[in-house]
């Protein structure tokens, strides 16, 4: 349970709180430090430092404003649905042309295609759709929320928040292109699936 394939794959003795001191001997490995955790903390601390220039009140206000804008973009397309909005994360269900929603396996395909230029596969897409389909866009990994569907997420991270503060329109244009790509993939999902990408 605590070896390199159990809990020890995620924690070392250095991350345990005082209340779990009895576990330390089982997780102690002088050769193993949780480098990933250290890097995440380093990145997180750098991000927090960068955002100190924006007050908590302004961050919340900007986050809510951004989320409202993205929700409106998502809900404007017949094949997209805002599943939920939690602070700076907009969770989205992707509809199928035949009805229903993408399941987890299909959402994984969508997630992969979002990071690729897939415009060459969809010959009958409009110029606007081809622009969206050619755009590389990074979104949150799919999450299974029920047997019937999964969601993907668009989030306002630190860099996006700072860009939003300095150039709201540019940030929203980038997010709009991401939403348009989600919609185009939903529309041409079967074509993309049949392409073998």
């Amino acid at each position: 349970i605590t070896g390199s394939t159990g809990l020890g794959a995620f924690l070392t003795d250095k991350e345990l709180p005082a209340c779990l001191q009895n576990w330390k001997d089982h997780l102690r490995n002088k050769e193993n430090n949780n480098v990933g955790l250290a890097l995440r903390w380093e990145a997180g601390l750098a991000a927090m430092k960068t955002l100190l220039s924006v007050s908590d009140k302004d961050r919340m206000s900007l986050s809510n404003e951004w989320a409202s804008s993205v929700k409106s973009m998502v809900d404007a397309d017949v094949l997209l649905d805002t599943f939920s909005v939690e602070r700076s994360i907009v969770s989205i269900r992707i509809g199928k042309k035949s009805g229903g929603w993408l399941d987890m396996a299909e959402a994984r395909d969508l997630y992969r295609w979002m990071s690729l230029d897939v415009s060459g596969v969809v010959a009958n897409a409009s110029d606007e759709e081809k622009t969206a389909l050619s755009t590389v866009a990074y979104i949150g990994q799919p999450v299974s929320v029920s047997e019937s569907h999964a969601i993907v997420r668009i989030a306002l991270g630190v860099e996006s928040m700072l860009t939003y503060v300095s150039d709201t329109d540019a940030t929203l244009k980038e997010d709009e292109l991401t939403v348009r790509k989600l919609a185009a993939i939903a529309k041409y999902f079967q074509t993309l699936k049949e392409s073998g990408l």
Side-chain angles (χ1 to χ4, degrees), residues 97-112:
K97 285 172 60 175
S98 60
W101 308 102
L102 296 188
D103 63 24
M104 188 62 178
E106 294 164 328
R108 282 189 188 113
D109 287 333
L110 174 134
Y111 176 75
R112 185 177 68 255

Side-chain angles (χ1 to χ4, degrees), residues 67-85 90-94 101 154 179-180 182-183:
S68 177
S69 296
V70 172
K71 180 185 184 319
S72 294
M73 292 175 203
V74 168
D75 292 339
D77 191 279
V78 68
L79 289 174
L80 304 180
D81 177 62
T82 301
F83 181 76
S84 69
V85 176
V90 179
S91 298
I92 305 163
R93 290 190 298 184
I94 311 297
W101 308 102
I154 299 176
V179 171
R180 284 184 22 224
L182 287 170

Side-chain angles (χ1 to χ4, degrees), residues 157-170:
V158 172
E159 288 179 26
S160 299
M161 168 82 73
L162 293 170
T163 304
Y164 189 75
V165 168
S166 64
D167 193 346
T168 301
D169 291 339

Side-chain angles (χ1 to χ4, degrees), residues 19-184:
C19 65
L20 296 176
Q21 292 300 313
N22 292 339
W23 290 22
K24 279 198 175 220
D25 288 339
H26 301 288
L27 293 170
R28 187 163 288 130
N29 181 344
K30 291 181 184 176
E31 305 298 315
N32 188 18
N33 289 307
N34 193 334
V35 176
L37 178 65
L39 290 172
R40 287 190 299 279
W41 266 104
E42 185 66 29
L45 291 171
M48 286 185 258
K49 184 177 179 182
T50 304
L51 273 180
L52 286 175
S53 63
V54 182
S55 72
D56 286 344
K57 182 180 176 185
D58 287 345
R59 274 197 306 270
M60 286 304 296
S61 177
L62 291 165
S63 178
N64 290 339
E65 178 184 293
W66 171 86
S68 177
S69 296
V70 172
K71 180 185 184 319
S72 294
M73 292 175 203
V74 168
D75 292 339
D77 191 279
V78 68
L79 289 174
L80 304 180
D81 177 62
T82 301
F83 181 76
S84 69
V85 176
E86 293 294 328
R87 298 181 126 191
S88 63
I89 302 172
V90 179
S91 298
I92 305 163
R93 290 190 298 184
I94 311 297
K96 297 180 186 183
K97 285 172 60 175
S98 60
W101 308 102
L102 296 188
D103 63 24
M104 188 62 178
E106 294 164 328
R108 282 189 188 113
D109 287 333
L110 174 134
Y111 176 75
R112 185 177 68 255
W113 296 330
M114 287 296 291
S115 65
L116 301 171
D117 174 351
V118 295
S119 60
V121 176
V122 186
N124 58 337
S126 69
D127 289 344
E128 185 176 288
E129 290 169 333
K130 284 191 179 192
T131 298
L133 290 166
S134 70
T135 301
V136 171
Y138 297 103
I139 59 172
Q141 292 183 22
V143 175
S144 180
V145 293
S146 78
E147 288 183 20
S148 66
H149 64 278
I151 57 167
V152 293
R153 295 152 294 138
I154 299 176
L156 184 68
V158 172
E159 288 179 26
S160 299
M161 168 82 73
L162 293 170
T163 304
Y164 189 75
V165 168
S166 64
D167 193 346
T168 301
D169 291 339
T171 305
L172 290 176
K173 278 187 183 259
E174 186 176 309
D175 294 323
E176 180 184 14
L177 201 49
T178 299
V179 171
R180 284 184 22 224
K181 184 166 186 175
L182 287 170

